[in-house]
Amino acid sequence: MRRTRPRLIGALATALLATGVGAGPPAQANSAPAATTSAQTAPAPAKKQPTLAELARRQGRYFGSATDNPELTDTAYTALLGREFDMITPGNGMKWYATEPRQGVFDWTNGDEIVGLARAHHQRVRAHTLVWHSQLPDWLTGRDWTPDELRAVLKKHILAEVGHYRGKVYSWDVVNEAFNEDGTYRDTLWYRTLGPGYIADALRWAHQADPRAKLYLNDYNIDGVGAKSDAYYRLAKDLLARGVPLDGIGLQAHLALQYGYPATLEDNLRRFSGLGLDTALTEVDVRMQLPSDAAKLATQAQWYRDLTAACLAVRRCVGVTVWDYTDKYSWIPAVFPGEGAALPWDEQLRPKPAYAAIRQALRGRQPLS
C-alpha cells in the first residue's frame, strides 16, 4: 500500500484544487478579476504513451504479434497491429500448403502481403515455418517417397522460399515441432523418410539461401526444463559442434492456466544462451477455461508479466511475440473447445489486465502491493 498512497493523495489534491477547496483564501469581492488567456485555460496535451515495441526497444528487445491474411481487411485491427508492435509473424501464409500448393508451383501471395504490411509500418518479420509435419499439401502427403526424392523436394522448397524472401525477413523458424513430449523424435514424414539428419540439412539449405537470416528451431512445451527441452538442448549442442548454422531456439509458450506456470522458464532460456544461441518467446498466449473472470484475468496478467520479465532477465532472449494480439482472432477456441480469452486484447480490441502487466514488465517495474 505504500506505493499507492502518494498517487491517491496526488489525485485527491488535484480534485480539491479543481473545486477550489484548499486552494488558498478566497478572492475579495472588490478584487480585480484575473486576466485569462487561451494558454492558461487550454488543457495540457495528453502525453503519448509509449507502445509495447518502444518499451521493448529500450530494453534491447522486440515485441511482436502474429497475424494472418484474412484479418488484414479489419482496419481497426491492422491500425493497432501497425502501431503497437515491431515484429510480425505470418501465422499461416508462409507454410508449405500456402507456398507450394502443387509440386514445383510456388505462390508467395499471402507471405508477400504480410511482408509488405510489415514494411509499411517499419516492422521486421519472423518468417514461419519451413519444415513441419502439419499443414502440408496433399501432393506431398498423398504418396510414398524415396529418401533421395524427398530430400530433393525439401531442398528445392527451402531454397525457393528462403531465396524469395532473402533480405526481407529477420529470421526463419526452419524446423517446427520436431520432438515428442518424452524427447524422442516426432514420427513425421521427414523423420520416417530421411532420419534425424533432415534437421541439419534444412538449416544448411536455409543458410545457403539467405546467409543473413537468423535460423531457429521452434516448439511448444519446451518453456521449462524437461525431457522435451532437454532433447532440444542436446540437439542444439550437437549441431553447433558440427558447424551446422543455428542461431536460436524458439519457445512457443502456449500456456494454459489449468496446467501451471513454467517456473524454470528463465533457467531454460539461460542454458540455451550458454550455448551461444539466441532465444525468443515466439507464439505466446495464456488460455483459460471459459468463462473468464477477474481472478483468472489477474492470474493471466501475472503470467504475462513473469514471462516478459524472464526474457528481459536473459541477455540473449531477443524478444516476445504473442500469437496474434486479440481474442478476436485467436486460434484457441477452435482447437480447445471451452477455452480461450488467451491474449492481451479482448474481442473488441480493448486492452486487458495482461496488457498493463506486459507494460509494467517492460518498464522493469514490480507489481504494486
Side-chain angles (χ1 to χ4, degrees):
M1 296 301 294
R2 290 194 299 271
R3 294 192 180 189
T4 60
R5 191 178 304 277
R7 294 182 180 177
L8 291 172
I9 293 172
L12 179 59
T14 301
L16 291 174
L17 287 169
T19 57
V21 180
Q28 298 299 316
N30 59 355
S31 298
T36 302
T37 68
S38 59
Q40 290 172 317
T41 58
K47 186 176 181 180
K48 183 183 176 183
Q49 179 174 257
T51 65
L52 295 183
E54 289 167 342
L55 291 173
R57 281 197 296 271
R58 295 173 189 176
Q59 302 281 0
R61 308 299 197 276
Y62 65 76
F63 206 95
S65 175
T67 192
D68 207 358
N69 299 83
E71 58 220 47
L72 300 186
T73 58
D74 183 340
T75 55
Y77 164 86
T78 55
L80 204 158
L81 178 72
R83 181 174 67 249
E84 197 75 35
F85 305 96
D86 60 351
M87 186 74 75
I88 298 297
T89 301
N92 290 292
M94 292 184 176
K95 291 175 180 174
W96 202 311
Y97 81 99
T99 56
E100 194 178 356
R102 291 181 291 148
Q103 186 174 2
V105 178
F106 295 94
D107 184 352
W108 313 118
T109 304
N110 289 346
D112 286 353
E113 182 180 23
I114 290 175
V115 169
L117 181 76
R119 283 190 160 188
H121 292 106
H122 307 289
Q123 297 162 316
R124 293 181 294 170
V125 175
R126 289 195 81 260
H128 175 84
T129 179
L130 294 171
V131 189
W132 192 28
H133 63 275
S134 185
Q135 291 181 263
L136 297 173
D138 291 341
W139 68 262
L140 192 53
T141 59
R143 55 157 288 184
D144 293 328
W145 301 88
T146 68
D148 286 344
E149 288 173 337
L150 189 60
R151 193 169 185 271
V153 166
L154 181 59
K155 181 178 182 179
K156 180 177 180 180
H157 180 85
I158 291 174
L159 292 178
E161 183 162 10
V162 179
H164 177 78
Y165 291 107
R166 179 172 177 151
K168 299 178 182 178
V169 303
Y170 162 76
S171 66
W172 279 99
D173 289 332
V174 178
V175 178
N176 196 46
E177 300 175 5
F179 286 102
N180 296 311
E181 297 304 301
D182 63 359
T184 58
Y185 281 97
R186 185 187 287 271
D187 183 19
T188 68
L189 169 67
W190 314 112
Y191 181 75
R192 285 193 305 272
T193 311
L194 302 175
Y198 81 91
I199 296 174
D201 284 340
L203 289 163
R204 291 188 181 103
W205 294 329
H207 181 72
Q208 176 184 338
D210 187 353
R212 300 185 67 179
K214 299 285 187 179
L215 305 182
Y216 278 72
L217 305 177
N218 190 57
D219 213 326
Y220 64 92
N221 285 354
I222 62 169
D223 319 297
V225 176
K228 195 174 185 180
S229 60
D230 287 348
Y232 274 99
Y233 184 82
R234 290 191 297 270
L235 174 62
K237 193 172 182 180
D238 175 67
L239 292 170
L240 293 171
R242 292 191 285 130
V244 177
L246 174 66
D247 298 292
I249 302 294
L251 293 72
Q252 293 181 11
H254 291 296
L255 306 182
L257 295 186
Q258 63 267 32
Y259 299 128
Y261 182 81
T264 54
L265 171 60
E266 185 178 325
D267 292 336
N268 200 30
L269 293 170
R270 204 173 298 283
R271 68 169 174 164
F272 284 111
S273 294
L275 294 177
L277 293 171
D278 290 345
T279 55
L281 305 181
T282 57
E283 303 184 20
V284 177
D285 45 32
V286 181
R287 67 185 188 270
M288 63 186 68
Q289 294 172 329
L290 299 174
S292 65
D293 58 35
K296 292 175 185 176
L297 292 173
T299 301
Q300 179 188 64
Q302 180 67 53
W303 286 24
Y304 269 104
R305 180 189 298 114
D306 288 349
L307 65 87
T308 303
C311 182
L312 295 180
V314 179
R315 183 178 61 84
R316 295 200 66 159
C317 182
V318 296
V320 177
T321 296
V322 290
W323 203 240
D324 222 318
Y325 70 86
T326 167
D327 295 332
K328 184 176 183 179
Y329 297 117
S330 174
W331 67 290
I332 296 293
V335 177
F336 298 98
E339 299 181 41
L343 294 160
W345 280 262
D346 68 15
E347 293 185 359
Q348 287 72 46
L349 308 186
R350 296 175 303 203
K352 292 155 62 176
Y355 173 71
I358 294 167
R359 297 182 61 82
Q360 193 174 67
L362 291 173
R363 290 181 182 273
R365 295 177 179 175
Q366 296 299 313
L368 298 176
S369 59

